[in-house]
Amino acid sequence: MSEAYVHGYEPHESERLQTQAGTLVDLLHRDTRYPPGSRVLEAGCGVGAQTVTLARQSPDAWFTSIDISAESVAAARRATDAAGLANVEFQQADLFALPFAPESFDHVFVCFVLEHLARPVEALAILRDLLKPGGTLTVIEGDHGSAYFHPDSAAAHQAIQAQAELQRCAGGNVLIGRQLHPLMVAAGLDRVQVSPRMVYVDGSRPDLIDGFTRKTFTAMIEGVRESAIAGGVIEADAFDAGIRALHRTAEDDGVFCYTFFKGVGQKR
Amino acid sequence: MSEAYVHGYEPHESERLQTQAGTLVDLLHRDTRYPPGSRVLEAGCGVGAQTVTLARQSPDAWFTSIDISAESVAAARRATDAAGLANVEFQQADLFALPFAPESFDHVFVCFVLEHLARPVEALAILRDLLKPGGTLTVIEGDHGSAYFHPDSAAAHQAIQAQAELQRCAGGNVLIGRQLHPLMVAAGLDRVQVSPRMVYVDGSRPDLIDGFTRKTFTAMIEGVRESAIAGGVIEADAFDAGIRALHRTAEDDGVFCYTFFKGVGQKR
């Protein structure tokens, strides 16, 4: 987590991440429940978008949620406080220099973190070492190459590519979702099972049009406008045409598809 | 169905289509069951890859399966005979000149047909007219834009694009899966519901590596080698590099993703 972060830290960005979590909670997290008394590390909690769901779904498990940004940790703490959750403690920490002894946790949870790391296998191996034998590591990541839509649009793909390029320059990888299985196996995890979680949005699903196509995916791409243009990754006109094309897919006769990947592996 | 057909009619191609149907039966067809006594039209049955499953899953429904190719109809008849099915009758017929009166059927089923048609909405409207009020139209299509994999490879995408280009020149559209909802709505169908059926293949799923990545998808692309090169759509070296890259995704640390779309709509 030493790399620069591509998504913003601004208030509206925090709102976007919360909206995203709200729309996707069931799809991504419904099958993550930890037993009473278990100790769970959430590595890279960000503003707590997933923390609230995790802690609420496993009220008798104990969560330690860390993030490299003290500001994010503070926002995450406010989010769990507002939700009345007492089973989470927070700590500012770097994933590559964690203040925990080996085998400190029963389970580890990582969501939307590997996409920002230049050394994802190393990060996974560090987290594996923190697990007790038999403990599980759960990883959730998106994959921008899984984004396709109707009407198809070269301009939209170019705008998405601009975001991907920024993230790549910061050491990240927006195509990481599809790679979870080989990455987790390479990190020495056992019994790795990956399941795709596809978001499919058409005119019959107005909640997802608004909550996912517009306020999650398109908003994420839109959020890098200034840095992409300033960084010379794309021209302003081309970027704006791409954003318009993404909004076009949110009309009644449009369709938008995106897939998240969830992997669970075990420490031997 | 007056357009040229892009997939081959050769014996090995027929085998490929049967293998594909075998691997995908549960994913695509598990929720298609027709009530006893209902009359069902299967439009574009090809070599009967889906017909056997359809007729077996609804043993007390009556199927009429048509295809524009007399040779395919003969192969489909052999397939249902071999399966001991007595609830299917076959007929050689053109979808755009069908010998049936309006409202002849309780349900209509179309699988991997629209992708070959220049006028898919017109075809759907013709099929809708054959339905009794309240009857359903079920449509299944793939979408080549949903194919992504690890390792990612520009060469592989180029080979896929060559197949797409051939199909486009023949009047077809390999990106039709994602468009099912708007197409079915445009054809005047009611209560249209589309569900994606994603095939996800990683090293832990050897059956799918063989049955889908190799023998279904890669074999389909490989099958157009001669016509793509002869048609000047791609150079032989580039095509072969793409095929090697697709086979690379079938290794233990590779991943392959593809999504089919299934739509069901009703006649008012």
Side-chain angles (χ1 to χ4, degrees), chain B residues 16-247:
Chain B
R16 184 188 73 80
L17 293 171
Q18 297 285 358
T19 300
Q20 167 174 313
T23 304
L24 301 176
V25 162
D26 189 55
L27 183 71
L28 301 183
H29 303 302
R30 60 181 174 233
D31 49 353
T32 297
R33 314 265 162 165
Y34 295 110
S38 54
R39 306 204 74 90
V40 184
L41 173 67
E42 183 193 12
C45 63
V47 296
Q50 277 74 40
T51 315
V52 170
T53 302
L54 274 185
R56 195 178 270 152
Q57 287 197 159
S58 300
D60 301 314
W62 294 98
F63 292 87
T64 302
S65 295
I66 64 129
D67 200 274
I68 195 164
S69 154
E71 209 178 311
S72 290
V73 165
R77 186 178 283 120
R78 283 193 300 275
T80 52
D81 284 352
L85 294 161
N87 58 334
V88 189
E89 56 174 28
F90 290 95
Q91 203 165 326
Q92 187 271 325
D94 185 335
L95 202 153
F96 288 101
L98 289 172
F100 306 115
E103 307 193 1
S104 294
F105 295 96
D106 297 297
H107 304 285
V108 173
F109 179 90
V110 202
C111 184
F112 305 145
V113 171
L114 298 188
E115 61 165 323
H116 300 292
L117 306 182
R119 296 166 286 152
V121 172
E122 192 180 320
L124 289 172
I126 287 170
L127 296 172
R128 184 206 58 204
D129 288 345
L130 296 180
L131 280 172
K132 296 173 187 166
T136 66
L137 175 53
T138 297
V139 187
I140 300 177
E141 295 291 341
D143 190 309
H144 285 11
S146 77
Y148 53 101
F149 30 79
H150 175 73
D152 197 15
S153 155
H157 284 293
Q158 215 191 326
I160 295 168
Q161 192 49 43
Q163 196 274 344
E165 185 60 16
L166 282 184
Q167 196 151 334
R168 199 185 62 75
C169 292
N173 172 12
V174 298
L175 303 184
I176 200 158
R178 75 188 71 172
Q179 299 174 35
L180 282 192
H181 190 272
L183 292 174
M184 293 176 78
V185 169
L189 288 152
D190 204 22
R191 300 183 184 192
V192 176
Q193 287 292 322
V194 172
S195 59
R197 314 280 164 120
M198 182 172 172
V199 183
Y200 166 76
V201 189
D202 66 29
S204 71
R205 310 182 189 211
D207 288 1
L208 280 174
I209 290 178
D210 196 56
F212 190 79
T213 307
R214 287 202 188 103
K215 292 190 177 153
T216 299
F217 189 85
T218 304
M220 174 192 62
I221 302 299
E222 229 166 343
V224 303
R225 185 180 190 279
E226 304 315 319
S227 34
I229 294 167
V233 170
I234 191 171
E235 298 291 324
D237 285 355
F239 188 86
D240 294 341
I243 296 299
R244 280 195 304 277
L246 287 173
H247 278 290

Side-chain angles (χ1 to χ4, degrees), chain A residues 126-144:
Chain A
I126 286 169
L127 296 172
R128 184 208 58 205
D129 288 345
L130 296 180
L131 281 172
K132 295 175 187 165
T136 66
L137 175 53
T138 297
V139 187
I140 300 176
E141 294 290 341
D143 190 310
H144 285 11

